[in-house]
Structures are given as structure tokens and as C-alpha cells.
Amino acid sequence: MRLSKYFMPILRHDPKEAEIVSHRLMLRTGMIRQESAGIYSWLPLGHRVLRKIEQIVREEQDRAGAIEVLMPTIQSADLWRKSGRYDDYGKEMLRITDRHDRDMLYGPTNEEMITDIFKSGVQSYKDLPRNLYHIQWKFRDEVRPRFGIMRGREFLMKDAYSFDMSAQAGRHSYNKMFLAYLRTFQRMGLTAIPMRADTGPIGGDLSHEFLVLANTGESAVFFDRSYLEKNWNQENIDQDDVDGLQSAIDGFTSHYAATDEIHDPAEFEKLNDDQRVEGRGIEVGHIFFFGTKYSTPLECLVQGPDGKAVPVHSGSYGIGVSRLVAGIIEASHDDDGIIWPQAVAPFDVGLINLKAGDADTDAACEKIYAELSNAGLDVLYDDTDNRAGGKFATMDMVGLPWQVIAGPRGLKEGQVEVKNRQTGERKSVGLEEAINQLTSL
């Protein structure tokens, strides 16, 4: 993409309303635009990141055996009255009435609807287990939306729902999602610490939240360093081995991990000094197992092997897809701007033409742009006639993993600079070497 033809409205100064790093940088780089309190438009740069994160989430849900559906944003109040949550949910739920005076709501979550959908399509135990998920916009009317998309009112969420014949089978579905979450966040360049959590209005008695470490996190966290040492994408775990998967998760979660709400200083002090880690975390995922909480009132029954109809056991599993964009920025930035992990970066390479209009520089940049693009890399090519200092500052702020810098002086020696945004390392290399290095990523 040529910057001269792209829509990326850069702000020169920090917005006054931005209280945290991710909000400031998302506004300054033109990723989002506020439309009203807690509601944002996603501009091209931000939308690219959002879709990359969404795709990683989708791939790991599919890998775990979940099946994608798409439910509407607007739901009937009738189902929520049957479950008993319509009045219990509170003012966070946006309640509306259609032209026929029917009570409706903008869905904050989908336990009722997916249970009703499943009820209409499955009758026998032979059709279980199943896990259905979708990636859809949600609305929760926060009393004080703040921190940009970190605590907005409208947000993109992946929510999955498992259905099993028994509590034991439901726990296995829960464990499969637990593993899928660890793999999902690790693919994004994040270490997410799972911590036992309160079930809140979702219900049930088993729940974990996944927190990404960041200095600006909303929760203080205390945990064993062992949580930072595992690569779940390289672990050879058979997710269909019930006992093996349970054993792997039990071993992992046996280490100390707690938010400040349930922190036990005495237990934490039992760890060796070099194993104790304190920090702050941002919640990016939450999973629940609530058994028959919704299937019983909504009469979601299946016929068991003995011919008797019994309520299914269910769990729900949420990932804040849009919140992850801010979470990644909070966890990965420096004084100059964002540092995107390769897997979620809006572009792979930023190409800087230091003297647009110079025949040799233009020709070299066109060659680099064409060959990297043909190799399948996404390239943001700054072909504008802006000053070099401004180009460097903008590219660092946008935070693409790699930069290629081409100017008349270096090209006289057949050289361009390649910069690694994460480390800040810059090397002068030959034109072909730069192309080969980046296409081999």
C-alpha cells in the first residue's frame, strides 16, 4: 500500500482525552476515531490489526473443534426473561423496543440465544459434544467508558459455547478451550496468565480469566515465574486425551497465580525469590463452566442412552478481540510508538523513500515494493515528499516489525538500511540482500 494513496490520519500531538498508551497511540496513528462515548470507528490501519487478531482466534477455535456460527446483535427479551437474567443484568444492558412494542436488547452476551438454537437442532446424546462460537459485536453500557477501546461500550468479541451430556464431559470441553486460549495468545506474541476468577452474572462455579502483562494493567497480579516458561504451540498435547489434557492443565495451574482481589501474601512468600513475579495485567479472555444454569430454565434437553431426557451441561468462552488490539499495544511499545508482533502487525514492512522524485531512489523503492509484495508480504510504502525526520517518526510510531530505508547516499554504494523495530538494530545491506532477508521471514 502506497502511503500517498492510503487513509491514515496521523495526529501530530497527543490527544488530551487519552489517559493510557494504547488509546493515545491508536488515535495518533489513525487506527480509530471516536464517534460517541465508548464507541469508535475502526479506520484502515486499525481494521487490519483487528482482522489479523480475529483470524488467529478463529484458527485456534477451529483447531480446538469449535464450529463457527453468526448470531444477531439484537436479541428478544423473552429468552432472557426465561433464564432470569433480564432484570438481573443491570443497566449495562441496552434495552430497546421495536415498532411493535416488543422488548428487545442489544446483546451483551449470547448464552440464552445459543442455548435456544442448540435446543432446536439437537435431540440425542449421539449429537454431543458440540461447541459453537461466533465473532460478533457486543454492547455493554458502561457507566464510565474510558481508556479508548480498552473499556468501551461497543466491542468485538469471540464467544463460544460448549454442550455436553455430563459435568465430567463438560470439564473436558472447558479444558480444550483453556488450551486453545493459551495457544491463541502466544501466537499473538503475548504471555497470558490464567487465574481463577469470579463467575459474575454468567454464573457457574468454575472460571478462569486470562491476563496479559502490562504496566498499565487494571489488576495487580502475583504469580510463579513458571507461567512465563511454557510454549503451548510447541507442546505435543492430544486435546482428545481426556486424562492427558487434564493432567497437563492441572500441572500448569498448580503454580501460584492470583490477582490482588484474592492474593494470599503468605502463600506467595513460599515461592523462591527468583520465582516470584509481581506486575499488572489486562484481562483479554474469560472462560466459564456453568453446567445446567441455562439449559434447565430454557428446557434444552437431550435424550440420554437410557431414553430419558436430561438438560445439557454448558460452558461459555469469551475473548475480547477488539480489546486485544489495545492490550497488545500496552504490552508492546516504547517511547517512539507501537512495536507490533509480526503475527498481528497491520503491515509486515515499512518502506521509506528518503527522496521521492529522485529517479534512482524511486526505481530502487519500486523494485523493493514489487518484490516484497509478490512474495506475499504486506508493505506500507512511504512514497510521499515529506521530510525524512517526519517519515522516521511516523514509521516508528506505527510500529511495523521491519523498515527498509532507501536514499540517494546509500544507493550510490548499492546499499539500503534494514531496521528491526523491536530491537532498534539498523544494518546497511545490499539491495538484493535486503529483499532476500525480508522474503525469508
Side-chain angles (χ1 to χ4, degrees):
M1 176 60 64
R2 298 173 189 273
L3 189 56
S4 62
K5 299 183 182 301
Y6 198 47
F7 184 68
M8 193 173 77
I10 297 291
L11 300 182
R12 291 185 178 181
H13 306 290
D14 290 342
K16 293 181 180 178
E17 69 272 23
E19 300 178 62
I20 62 173
V21 170
S22 59
H23 191 195
R24 172 172 60 83
L25 289 174
M26 291 184 76
L27 289 172
R28 286 205 61 191
T29 58
M31 293 179 66
I32 56 173
R33 178 182 184 273
Q34 182 171 318
E35 301 301 339
S36 60
I39 300 176
Y40 291 84
S41 289
W42 288 79
L43 305 186
L45 194 72
H47 188 253
R48 290 178 72 94
V49 178
L50 191 67
R51 290 302 173 223
K52 287 197 172 186
I53 290 173
E54 179 182 333
Q55 186 57 27
I56 291 174
V57 171
R58 176 176 288 111
E59 288 170 4
E60 291 302 325
Q61 289 294 289
D62 294 347
R63 179 182 179 185
I67 304 163
E68 188 170 9
V69 299
L70 184 61
M71 291 175 275
T73 57
I74 304 298
Q75 303 182 31
S76 167
D78 293 342
L79 287 172
W80 286 71
R81 289 194 172 104
K82 283 184 181 180
S83 73
R85 285 208 298 171
Y86 185 70
D87 295 320
D88 293 345
Y89 207 91
K91 292 184 178 181
E92 287 77 22
M93 180 189 289
L94 181 63
R95 295 165 171 84
I96 54 181
T97 304
D98 69 11
R99 66 170 63 195
H100 301 291
D101 291 326
R102 290 180 293 232
D103 289 331
M104 311 290 284
L105 58 100
Y106 194 129
T109 185
N110 282 72
E111 282 81 6
E112 284 82 359
M113 181 173 285
I114 196 66
T115 301
D116 193 57
I117 290 171
F118 190 78
K119 168 186 172 181
S120 68
V122 172
Q123 288 79 41
S124 169
Y125 73 95
K126 296 179 180 179
D127 297 318
L128 299 177
R130 291 291 185 272
N131 190 322
L132 304 176
Y133 79 96
H134 75 157
I135 301 174
Q136 180 60 290
W137 292 96
K138 301 284 193 292
F139 188 91
R140 295 177 188 169
D141 201 1
E142 293 276 354
V143 64
R144 189 188 174 197
R146 58 192 303 216
F147 302 148
I149 62 168
M150 187 68 75
R151 185 167 290 179
R153 293 193 294 166
E154 186 182 58
F155 54 95
L156 187 63
M157 180 176 174
K158 185 285 303 180
D159 40 325
Y161 305 89
S162 61
F163 300 91
D164 289 273
M165 273 299 295
S166 67
Q168 182 180 6
R171 178 59 186 257
H172 180 57
S173 293
Y174 183 94
N175 287 343
K176 288 169 73 172
M177 284 291 103
F178 192 106
L179 175 62
Y181 275 40
L182 293 172
R183 287 172 167 169
T184 297
F185 299 129
Q186 200 153 59
R187 280 187 60 186
M188 296 176 190
L190 297 171
T191 297
I193 311 298
M195 298 191 178
R196 289 296 293 262
D198 180 48
T199 57
I202 299 295
D205 58 6
L206 177 61
S207 176
H208 285 87
E209 59 183 359
F210 294 78
L211 291 99
V212 170
L213 300 180
N215 291 334
T216 52
E218 58 217 326
S219 302
V221 294
F222 307 83
F223 60 93
D224 190 313
R225 188 172 298 279
S226 301
Y227 282 99
L228 304 176
E229 297 170 354
K230 221 171 183 55
N231 186 338
W232 290 95
N233 286 298
Q234 292 180 355
E235 290 284 327
N236 186 21
I237 298 174
D238 181 358
Q239 66 175 11
D240 295 319
D241 178 355
V242 176
D243 293 335
L245 178 57
Q246 184 69 63
S247 178
I249 290 176
D250 285 346
F252 185 59
T253 56
S254 65
H255 304 296
Y256 187 87
T259 62
D260 48 357
E261 296 174 345
I262 59 173
H263 175 50
D264 184 341
E267 283 297 312
F268 190 55
E269 289 297 322
K270 291 179 182 179
L271 299 177
N272 294 331
D273 290 348
D274 60 350
Q275 286 299 109
R276 290 197 299 268
V277 181
E278 299 181 31
R280 302 199 68 81
I282 298 167
E283 182 192 331
V284 290
H286 207 153
I287 62 178
F288 307 82
F289 179 67
F290 41 72
T292 61
K293 175 179 170 65
Y294 299 96
S295 58
T296 296
L298 296 175
E299 299 179 339
C300 181
L301 310 175
V302 294
Q303 190 178 60
D306 58 1
K308 295 181 180 179
V310 294
V312 298
H313 290 257
S314 297
S316 68
Y317 316 92
I319 288 180
V321 176
S322 53
R323 197 171 212 249
L324 269 167
V325 181
I328 291 170
I329 294 172
E330 292 292 333
S332 185
H333 68 272
D334 61 16
D335 291 342
D336 294 323
I338 304 167
I339 304 174
W340 289 114
Q342 186 81 39
V344 298
F347 296 90
D348 301 301
V349 179
L351 173 60
I352 300 175
N353 184 332
L354 291 179
K355 194 171 183 180
D358 176 79
D360 291 339
T361 308
D362 288 350
C365 288
E366 290 294 338
K367 176 181 175 63
I368 296 168
Y369 182 59
E371 295 202 22
L372 294 183
S373 299
N374 289 339
L377 294 174
D378 290 324
V379 182
L380 181 62
Y381 173 23
D382 189 342
D383 59 341
T384 67
D385 58 2
N386 296 331
R387 297 176 62 181
K391 292 187 175 190
F392 292 144
T394 295
M395 203 61 78
D396 279 347
M397 186 167 62
V398 170
L400 307 181
W402 296 93
Q403 297 175 20
V404 179
I405 304 159
R409 184 179 301 175
L411 286 170
K412 286 182 179 179
E413 306 296 328
Q415 303 275 299
V416 295
E417 274 194 307
V418 176
K419 178 179 176 178
N420 182 310
R421 177 65 181 89
Q422 184 175 41
T423 65
E425 181 183 15
R426 297 170 70 142
K427 286 186 177 180
S428 292
V429 298
L431 185 62
E432 293 295 338
E433 185 181 347
I435 293 170
N436 292 336
Q437 177 184 335
L438 293 171
T439 55
S440 65
L441 293 174

